[in-house]
Amino acid sequence: MQELFQNFQIRVNDKLYIKDPESSELGKRIVENSILLMDEIGFESFTFKKLSDKINSTEASVYRYFENKHKLLIYLTSWYWAWIDYQVVLHTYSISNAEKKLETIISIVSQTIQADDSFTHIDEGRLFNIMINEYSKSFLTKEVDDDNKDGFFAIYKRVITRLKEAILAVRPEYPFPASLASTVVESALHQHFLKKHFHTITDCNESVEPSEFCKNLVLQTLNVTSQ
Amino acid sequence: MQELFQNFQIRVNDKLYIKDPESSELGKRIVENSILLMDEIGFESFTFKKLSDKINSTEASVYRYFENKHKLLIYLTSWYWAWIDYQVVLHTYSISNAEKKLETIISIVSQTIQADDSFTHIDEGRLFNIMINEYSKSFLTKEVDDDNKDGFFAIYKRVITRLKEAILAVRPEYPFPASLASTVVESALHQHFLKKHFHTITDCNESVEPSEFCKNLVLQTLNVTSQ
DNA sequence: CAAATATAATAGTAATACTATCTTAAATAA
DNA sequence: TTATTTAAGATAGTATTACTATTATATTTG
């Protein structure tokens, strides 16, 4: 349970920022509005100039918090994974049945996230859109190995590891638990994207959620018959 | 079989370029070297200036072939999918057994590609690296819907549809054939990436290929016992 | 009240992502 | 053969991006 409370206030790797945005009003406005702006115009068009105009501040002030927009993206996506990790621990720690636990984790990592006002300045719904559209860009770079060494993807890997362990708890002899876990997490976001933009290559739509597919995929793969 | 021969000389949507790069020596050098340079320095650092320096030409000349580097990326990735589509048709048209056919398609879309000198100026091995590291960036943009309307992703969708049909041939009652097909194709590239950069969240390594996992995933999901 | 700190305001730079124009060289058509 | 089209090289220029640096002002804290 200790892991849970360490993460409870959504703590992110402190090398991701120059000055902790949670430590000031301006910092919170930067995070809050960067989510809105990035969702609105996309990561490529997003600049610190546009953001600072939006919040009536200056480029130089934003640069005092984040080195560049790539670090900001990793900050935001790490925040998301920390939040998911928290949800996973919260909703599964009392579940003793391995299959039920696995299903719960899959639900959490693949469900559509709507806004939630538990964490005031962060709009989880809009952040979820960023996850769908921009998450891959945080690691598909020439700097991945350095970033990874700095621990920027630690929380993401922890979420996947939890899923992997839940898979193993159900089927200890399954030979690809890590690959299945990483596939499901990636695929969940991808199916959400396809639903919006490439409906011919997905079965997800208004009535079929990506999480339905994801659950079915894992349970069939592990040969769990109790569906 | 007609589809096959239409695609035999790897034809790509002609809105992707201003002047067909296959129509001139310079055009071929642009394509050839853009693959090498993009693999080397990554899509973000890649510029038409650097490319034109590499081929001893000028920025303006490169712009006569491609509108911008994003169109070039879609051109390269479309070329890849057309090539994969060709491989799929070539290696499956004589297979009558549905399960054998499905396994063959999965192998083709998930195997590690090495250089092949059948198409002189294109290094498929290097292009495969680009697919692993940059493919998602071709559609994770605010312009996806416009690009999709222009048919830029048609060949990619055709490959996925072929896989979907092969899935349905094996198990017509399976409820998520399109999602499974798109997941496998995406996951294959992703597992190759993880193998290189995040080995803790994949089971793929020097001895276990992503295609092994992909085949197992689909066959288990469809409950094909003859493994 | 003094000192430290945060932020705003402003300026400046190199690189990027283009567009435009002009010249030369080569291919082709009359 | 000459005229004409076309391709490509050479050069220049612009707005935007991704920063860095400096100074001034306002606020907090000791």
Side-chain angles (χ1 to χ4, degrees):
Chain A
M1 265 303 79
Q2 208 151 357
E3 268 172 303
L4 170 66
F5 294 113
Q6 270 176 1
N7 240 20
F8 180 49
Q9 13 174 14
I10 309 292
R11 182 163 292 158
V12 150
N13 187 314
D14 63 11
K15 279 189 188 171
L16 284 170
Y17 47 77
I18 295 166
K19 182 186 160 137
D20 186 359
E22 288 301 311
S23 71
S24 75
E25 265 317 301
L26 181 63
K28 284 176 195 162
R29 275 199 297 145
I30 288 172
V31 169
E32 179 185 0
N33 288 280
S34 65
I35 292 171
L36 304 181
L37 186 60
M38 206 180 281
D39 178 32
E40 202 183 313
I41 65 175
F43 183 68
E44 281 72 29
S45 298
F46 177 94
T47 67
F48 280 180
K49 182 74 180 61
K50 289 175 189 166
L51 174 62
S52 54
D53 285 350
K54 190 182 172 82
I55 61 176
N56 293 314
S57 181
T58 62
E59 235 184 315
S61 296
V62 176
Y63 273 105
R64 256 177 236 115
Y65 286 84
F66 293 99
E67 221 177 300
N68 53 52
K69 69 170 175 174
H70 189 248
K71 288 264 168 74
L72 171 59
L73 177 63
I74 305 183
Y75 177 91
L76 296 177
T77 58
S78 292
W79 196 100
Y80 175 84
W81 291 121
W83 186 76
I84 288 287
D85 191 52
Y86 164 72
Q87 304 279 125
V88 165
V89 177
L90 191 73
H91 290 93
T92 60
Y93 81 111
S94 60
I95 302 175
S96 52
N97 179 278
E99 290 173 13
K100 188 88 200 74
K101 191 164 183 162
L102 176 59
E103 276 195 60
T104 304
I105 299 178
I106 298 171
S107 279
I108 293 167
V109 300
S110 59
Q111 81 199 181
T112 305
I113 308 293
Q114 6 260 21
D116 172 310
D117 45 10
S118 56
F119 294 95
T120 55
H121 64 294
I122 297 207
D123 185 328
E124 289 90 0
R126 304 290 292 274
L127 182 54
F128 183 62
N129 293 340
I130 293 175
M131 294 305 296
I132 294 171
N133 297 301
E134 324 289 0
Y135 179 52
S136 305
K137 299 170 194 170
S138 73
F139 56 81
L140 293 178
T141 67
K142 283 283 163 184
E143 297 81 35
V144 222
D145 295 333
D146 291 334
D147 289 353
N148 192 25
K149 255 178 211 135
D150 283 335
F152 294 172
F153 305 107
I155 312 177
Y156 167 62
K157 290 190 284 185
R158 188 159 76 221
V159 170
I160 294 195
T161 301
R162 287 197 205 278
L163 178 53
K164 171 191 154 180
E165 274 155 15
I167 288 167
L168 283 176
V170 169
R171 200 68 74 224
E173 72 280 13
Y174 176 66
F176 309 105
S179 287
L180 181 58
S182 54
T183 293
V184 166
V185 169
E186 190 70 10
S187 178
L189 291 173
H190 190 52
Q191 294 297 314
H192 279 282
F193 181 86
L194 297 181
K195 191 178 146 185
K196 277 188 201 167
H197 304 287
F198 293 88
H199 63 96
T200 58
I201 54 171
T202 181
D203 300 290
C204 302
N205 51 50
E206 315 76 47
S207 48
V208 180
E209 276 283 303
S211 62
E212 251 186 83
F213 162 66
C214 289
K215 267 188 233 175
N216 177 281
L217 181 72
V218 175
L219 298 179
Q220 285 284 126
T221 298
L222 302 181
N223 216 1
V224 176
T225 45
S226 67
Q227 281 182 72
Chain B
M1 266 301 81
Q2 210 152 356
E3 269 172 303
L4 168 64
F5 294 113
Q6 268 174 5
N7 241 18
F8 180 50
Q9 16 178 7
I10 310 292
R11 181 163 291 157
V12 149
N13 186 315
D14 62 12
K15 279 188 187 171
L16 284 170
Y17 47 77
I18 297 167
K19 183 186 158 137
D20 185 359
E22 288 300 312
S23 71
S24 76
E25 265 316 300
L26 180 64
K28 284 177 196 163
R29 273 198 299 145
I30 288 172
V31 168
E32 179 185 0
N33 288 281
S34 65
I35 292 171
L36 304 181
L37 185 60
M38 206 179 282
D39 178 32
E40 202 183 314
I41 66 175
F43 184 68
E44 282 71 30
S45 298
F46 177 94
T47 67
F48 280 180
K49 182 74 180 61
K50 289 174 189 166
L51 175 61
S52 55
D53 284 349
K54 191 182 171 80
I55 61 175
N56 293 313
S57 180
T58 62
E59 235 183 315
S61 296
V62 176
Y63 274 104
R64 261 178 226 117
Y65 285 84
F66 293 100
E67 222 177 301
N68 52 54
K69 69 171 176 173
H70 189 249
K71 287 264 169 73
L72 171 59
L73 177 63
I74 305 181
Y75 177 90
L76 296 177
T77 57
S78 293
W79 196 99
Y80 176 84
W81 290 122
W83 185 75
I84 288 288
D85 191 52
Y86 164 71
Q87 304 279 126
V88 166
V89 176
L90 190 73
H91 290 94
T92 60
Y93 81 112
S94 61
I95 303 175
S96 51
N97 179 276
E99 290 173 14
K100 189 87 199 75
K101 191 163 183 163
L102 176 58
E103 277 195 60
T104 304
I105 299 178
I106 298 170
S107 280
I108 293 168
V109 298
S110 59
Q111 79 199 183
T112 306
I113 309 292
Q114 4 262 23
D116 173 310
D117 45 9
S118 56
F119 294 95
T120 54
H121 63 294
I122 297 206
D123 184 328
E124 290 89 1
R126 303 291 292 274
L127 182 54
F128 183 63
N129 294 339
I130 292 176
M131 294 306 295
I132 293 171
N133 297 301
E134 324 289 359
Y135 179 53
S136 306
K137 298 170 193 169
S138 74
F139 56 81
L140 293 178
T141 67
K142 284 283 163 183
E143 297 81 36
V144 221
D145 296 333
D146 291 334
D147 289 353
N148 192 23
K149 256 179 209 135
D150 282 335
F152 293 172
F153 305 108
I155 311 177
Y156 167 62
K157 290 191 285 185
R158 188 160 76 219
V159 170
I160 294 196
T161 301
R162 286 196 206 278
L163 178 52
K164 170 190 156 182
E165 275 155 16
I167 289 167
L168 282 176
V170 168
R171 199 67 74 223
E173 72 280 13
Y174 176 66
F176 309 106
S179 287
L180 182 58
S182 53
T183 293
V184 166
V185 168
E186 191 70 9
S187 178
L189 291 173
H190 189 52
Q191 294 298 314
H192 279 282
F193 182 85
L194 297 181
K195 190 177 147 185
K196 279 189 200 167
H197 304 287
F198 293 88
H199 64 96
T200 58
I201 54 172
T202 180
D203 300 291
C204 301
N205 51 50
E206 315 76 46
S207 48
V208 180
E209 276 284 301
S211 61
E212 252 187 83
F213 162 66
C214 290
K215 267 189 234 175
N216 178 282
L217 181 72
V218 175
L219 299 179
Q220 284 285 125
T221 299
L222 301 182
N223 215 0
V224 176
T225 46
S226 66
Q227 280 181 74

